[in-house]
Amino acid sequence: MSDRIFIAAAFIVFLALIIGVGIYSSTHKKNTTADYILASRGVSPWLTALSAMSTGQSGLLFLGQVGFAYTAGISAIWLVIGWAIGDYLAWFLFFKRLRKRSEETASDTVSDFLAQNTSGARWISIVSGIIIVAFLGAYAASQLVAGSKALNVVFGWDYRLGIILGAVIVVIYCFSGGVRAEIWTDAVQGIIMIGSLLLLLSVAITDCGGFGQLWTRLGAIDAKLINLSPSNLPLGFLPFFIGWIVAGFGVVGQPHILVRAMAIDSPDNVNRALNIKTLASLTTSFSSITIGLAARVLLPDLISGGDPELALPYLAEELLPAGFVGLMLAGVFAATMSTADSQILCCSAALTQDIAPQFANSYRIVKLGTLTVTAIVLSIALVGDDNVFLLITFSWSALASGLGPLLLLRVGQLPVSTPVALLMMVVGITTAISWNLVFKLSSVVYEVLPGMIAGSLVYVIARLLASKSRSNQHKI
């Protein structure tokens, strides 16, 4: 019982710190919708970097990725490497231009940027807004589920209690200062995530007897666990790896991360933020993969009689003193909340600025939109699937396939009509969903690749047909 009290005390202290930062940020806010949604485009590169890292990695890092490494072995490393390459390319090639173009077009939301001043732009705003609310809402729900799973392991709480607690915390600091509170708290949460992962990593490796012993013991359990090449790849390694690179590149379709680039204080600081974010992300990602491998050695029974996604909290309880278990739990909860708050705020912006723009300039209605979206996300979390890895990767792929190709066209200032833009979004999402649910080929190539290709092909075919039509008219 005393251990539980120490764990709870440490956990509460870190939660109080996060909520306190969110409330403190309200002293810097302006009561305008632009400030609530984009922090008046004045966020520093350090805050942008830490916020983008913690928001992008989410519960996938602490639960999904650890569980994947626990099950797949060292070959899980290709997910991290491929994702990091794709993510870096997307930021380096497009995010600086996104920051410039979004300000030039006075776009405060992703849907607003996708629509711009195209004839019939209202339809683009509505459809992209619905996509964001639907899939980003499901993504946010997966974060509440991830946080509740960790609380269930440590405290034995009912899943629903952890989900409700997470939703309440998100509402408190989103109401305090909008995206500014969200970014400030995300930065603090990012630091907690890095510190807690490095702590557990060092203790777990020591307990395994060092990296050499970890490798030897993994091989003794199953030789596949130390095989760098994943097994059962019908098309071979290259398409599999390219699929994960494109998955990382799919950040171009993630509104909760795109908003970070749109809110940074200057386009010239985007690459600086990228370098900081990449270093932090690689540190946390490789730490989580290694923790998953160590858990396979130290907690082998999870593979048959438990949930591998819970390897990290179980390992923390096994190896760490009570106070540090509280830190670890705070790290898991921080990872999930840093993503859920961003996604809920993006959904709120889509709802009140894009789907129902008549309320766009009402600060109170925008806040009411945040409450409405939170209620929707809470409902999804309470009745939905509890597989964090699948929920996150599926939502990510739908957003990347539906919004990514069109966003790239807008950043590149390429012409696209409303019918073509709508068809790109529908075809991209339909392809990704079909690839995953109908053809069940996601284990061969992650569905972001075919989804983004299909959406892009719609544009290419439309341009070719338009060019052919103009050529025929000239002949006549």
Side-chain angles (χ1 to χ4, degrees):
M1 179 62 73
S2 59
D3 280 352
R4 287 285 180 270
I5 293 173
F6 279 119
I7 293 171
F11 178 60
I12 290 169
V13 166
F14 285 109
L15 281 189
L17 171 64
I18 291 166
I19 294 172
V21 169
I23 294 172
Y24 175 72
S25 73
S26 65
T27 62
H28 292 72
K29 74 176 181 180
K30 304 170 187 175
N31 290 328
T32 64
T33 54
D35 192 74
Y36 188 76
I37 292 168
L38 274 187
S40 301
R41 300 185 194 270
V43 181
S44 75
W46 272 94
L47 286 174
T48 298
L50 289 171
S51 173
M53 182 276 290
S54 60
T55 296
Q57 294 195 316
S58 69
L60 177 67
L61 178 74
F62 278 80
L63 301 186
Q65 205 162 280
V66 170
F68 185 53
Y70 184 100
T71 305
I74 192 65
S75 62
I77 199 171
W78 297 116
L79 183 155
V80 171
I81 295 172
W83 203 294
I85 291 171
D87 180 83
Y88 191 92
L89 288 174
W91 273 77
F92 184 76
L93 295 175
F94 296 103
F95 277 42
K96 183 176 181 179
R97 285 188 282 172
L98 169 64
R99 172 62 176 82
K100 287 180 179 178
R101 287 291 298 153
S102 64
E103 186 169 24
E104 290 169 358
T105 57
S107 301
D108 289 340
T109 68
V110 171
S111 292
D112 198 19
F113 182 72
L114 294 177
Q116 293 187 15
N117 296 318
T118 307
S119 175
R122 184 81 191 89
W123 285 105
I124 298 177
S125 291
I126 291 173
V127 172
S128 60
I130 291 171
I131 290 170
I132 288 170
V133 172
F135 290 101
L136 206 60
Y139 200 153
S142 72
Q143 302 308 313
L144 298 182
V145 171
S148 72
K149 288 177 81 169
L151 290 175
N152 174 264
V153 170
V154 178
F155 297 122
W157 290 357
D158 185 280
Y159 277 134
R160 290 168 294 183
L161 181 59
I163 288 171
I164 293 168
L165 176 63
V168 169
I169 292 171
V170 165
V171 167
I172 288 173
Y173 57 74
C174 277
F175 262 50
S176 299
V179 81
R180 177 176 283 103
E182 174 196 308
I183 289 173
W184 284 28
T185 55
D186 285 356
V188 174
Q189 289 162 336
I191 294 169
I192 293 172
M193 288 163 62
I194 293 169
S196 59
L197 280 171
L198 289 177
L199 170 66
L200 184 58
L201 173 67
S202 59
V203 174
I205 292 300
T206 301
D207 210 65
C208 286
F211 285 101
Q213 277 298 306
L214 171 62
W215 189 268
T216 302
R217 294 170 72 177
L218 283 170
I221 295 171
D222 188 338
K224 291 180 181 178
L225 294 175
I226 56 173
N227 187 349
L228 279 171
S229 179
S231 58
N232 302 319
L233 298 178
L235 299 181
F237 175 77
L238 191 59
F240 167 83
F241 186 55
I242 291 173
W244 285 115
I245 292 176
V246 177
F249 190 81
V251 70
V252 297
Q254 310 304 316
H256 57 300
I257 301 175
L258 296 173
V259 163
R260 266 74 188 149
M262 294 166 66
I264 197 169
D265 55 10
S266 168
D268 295 331
N269 282 332
V270 169
N271 286 343
R272 183 182 174 195
L274 168 59
N275 291 332
I276 298 167
K277 183 192 85 72
T278 301
L279 180 60
S281 297
L282 288 175
T283 300
T284 53
S285 293
F286 282 117
S287 295
S288 71
I289 292 291
T290 310
I291 288 169
L293 297 176
R296 185 62 186 269
V297 168
L298 300 173
L299 303 172
D301 293 339
L302 285 180
I303 196 68
S304 57
D307 183 353
E309 285 195 340
L310 297 177
L312 185 143
Y314 277 129
L315 195 63
E317 273 203 301
E318 183 79 17
L319 300 180
L320 299 178
F324 288 115
V325 175
L327 169 63
M328 204 71 231
L329 185 59
V332 178
F333 217 66
T336 59
M337 294 304 98
S338 66
T339 304
D341 62 4
S342 310
Q343 292 164 336
I344 286 172
L345 209 57
C346 279
C347 289
S348 171
L351 182 64
T352 59
Q353 308 293 301
D354 305 312
I355 297 174
Q358 63 268 33
F359 304 120
N361 294 318
S362 173
Y363 185 62
R364 289 184 178 179
I365 294 294
V366 171
K367 282 195 165 185
L368 182 61
T370 302
L371 270 181
T372 303
V373 169
T374 304
I376 295 170
V377 169
L378 183 60
S379 300
I380 296 171
L382 290 172
V383 302
D385 195 320
D386 66 349
N387 189 310
V388 174
F389 186 81
L390 292 180
L391 277 170
I392 291 173
T393 54
F394 182 74
S395 300
W396 179 281
S397 64
L399 290 163
S401 303
L403 306 180
L406 181 57
L407 182 122
L408 296 180
L409 295 180
R410 292 305 195 196
V411 170
Q413 302 181 54
L414 297 174
V416 55
S417 66
T418 294
V420 172
L422 295 175
L423 193 59
M424 287 175 68
M425 289 189 281
V426 171
V427 169
I429 285 181
T430 302
T431 302
I433 291 175
S434 300
W435 190 268
N436 184 311
L437 299 180
V438 178
F439 303 114
K440 301 187 183 301
L441 293 172
S442 295
S443 59
V444 179
V445 175
Y446 184 38
E447 63 263 21
V448 171
L449 178 58
M452 291 191 72
I453 288 175
S456 301
L457 280 176
V458 169
Y459 179 74
V460 172
I461 292 170
R463 293 286 290 172
L464 290 174
L465 291 175
S467 178
K468 186 176 181 180
S469 176
R470 287 194 298 269
S471 177
N472 290 337
Q473 288 176 357
H474 287 313
K475 289 179 182 179
I476 295 171

